[in-house]
Amino acid sequence: MGKIFQIAIDGPSGAGKSTIAKAIARRLGIDYIDTGAMYRALGYKMLQLGITEDETDKVAELLETTEIDFSHGDIILDGQVINNLIRTPEISMKASACSALGIVRKHLVKVQQEMGAKKSVIMDGRDIGTDVFPNARYKFFITATAEERAKRRYRELMEKGENVSYEETLESIIQRDYNDSHREVSPLRKAEDAEEVDTTDMTIDEVISYICDKIEK
């Protein structure tokens, strides 16, 4: 496969991108970078500090003093592991809001590009194949119906003991889709040279095998 390469996985919220990307990273022995978690981490910190998206000066200051890192599957914000703290619907909406800010995207895209320049990586998000790694060797756009994605997310939240309804989860997914595809900065869209994979009727293992086969060929 050559020396350093990037795999870009894009798609809407709840399509299983992270689970799939993590498994592919393990199979290929490369690093997985969860870009969505970077926005969630920032959204979490903004909520903790009571900073809103309108306070751009404070957001700019926050970016300069925030350290986000990944280690052995953990996401670390300023030295603290925050894995489960950032997986709530509230943080999901906050992440969507702060990812629409130009200064936030510019800063985090730069951090992501630096990571991918040093080593082979797989990244998932909304704009990896279009903005972060437009020249990535492998690009996939993973999607599924809103109903199927809501079912998966609902099951995930129930397993974690979250008290949410399926209707709320579906509403949140539909709203998130709208926000992500209508924002001015880097809206969610499929890169022209990305392969679309509809996972509605596929198991996670089937998707992983399908993508790995394509890459290993």
Side-chain angles (χ1 to χ4, degrees):
M1 275 192 222
K3 223 167 166 186
I4 287 180
F5 62 94
Q6 296 98 24
I7 304 168
I9 304 256
D10 288 307
S13 183
K17 297 184 301 293
S18 302
T19 308
I20 291 158
K22 279 177 197 163
I24 292 168
R26 281 195 298 273
R27 190 151 145 183
L28 300 178
I30 61 174
D31 274 320
Y32 163 66
I33 310 295
D34 183 349
T35 64
M38 295 171 85
Y39 290 100
R40 285 174 179 270
L42 203 63
Y44 171 77
K45 190 170 178 180
M46 283 170 70
L47 275 175
Q48 296 294 102
L49 298 173
I51 296 173
T52 66
E53 295 77 58
D54 308 331
E55 299 174 290
T56 43
D57 289 354
K58 286 187 180 176
V59 174
E61 206 176 295
L62 187 73
L63 290 169
E64 294 309 315
T65 56
T66 300
E67 198 177 310
I68 300 169
D69 201 4
F70 295 90
S71 177
H72 306 298
D74 289 328
I75 174 151
I76 301 155
L77 172 68
D78 301 328
Q80 181 199 355
V81 174
I82 56 161
N83 300 352
N84 294 332
L85 299 173
I86 58 169
R87 298 294 170 191
T88 66
E90 185 189 17
I91 299 292
S92 187
M93 296 312 283
K94 189 73 174 172
S96 185
C98 77
S99 69
L101 298 175
I103 51 166
V104 170
R105 294 203 80 83
K106 197 175 168 190
H107 179 83
L108 290 186
V109 164
K110 185 167 163 278
V111 172
Q112 290 154 13
Q113 286 170 335
E114 285 166 0
M115 288 175 176
K118 290 183 204 139
K119 57 190 176 181
S120 290
V121 294
I122 181 166
M123 283 193 193
D124 73 286
R126 305 286 188 280
D127 61 348
I128 310 303
T130 51
D131 292 354
V132 183
F133 295 129
N135 301 318
R137 194 185 302 182
Y138 309 102
K139 295 183 186 181
F140 298 92
F141 189 86
I142 294 179
T143 187
T145 63
E147 290 73 16
E148 177 59 28
R149 288 183 284 126
K151 265 185 229 161
R152 293 173 189 173
R153 180 60 54 84
Y154 174 67
R155 276 198 301 266
E156 198 181 285
L157 292 168
M158 290 300 281
E159 278 163 19
K160 287 178 182 165
E162 297 277 338
N163 186 19
V164 290
S165 70
Y166 166 75
E167 286 73 23
E168 275 175 329
T169 311
L170 178 59
E171 202 179 304
S172 168
I173 289 241
I174 291 168
Q175 184 62 50
R176 182 84 200 255
D177 283 356
Y178 182 85
N179 292 352
D180 287 346
S181 54
H182 285 76
R183 64 177 177 227
E184 280 179 43
V185 187
S186 306
L188 167 69
R189 63 189 168 87
K190 176 181 164 290
E192 280 178 23
D193 54 347
E195 178 175 348
E196 184 163 328
V197 184
D198 187 331
T199 69
T200 304
D201 299 315
M202 293 172 84
T203 66
I204 290 285
D205 287 343
E206 284 170 345
V207 182
I208 293 159
S209 294
Y210 178 82
I211 292 176
C212 283
D213 287 350
K214 289 268 176 183
I215 292 166
E216 285 161 348
K217 269 178 192 166

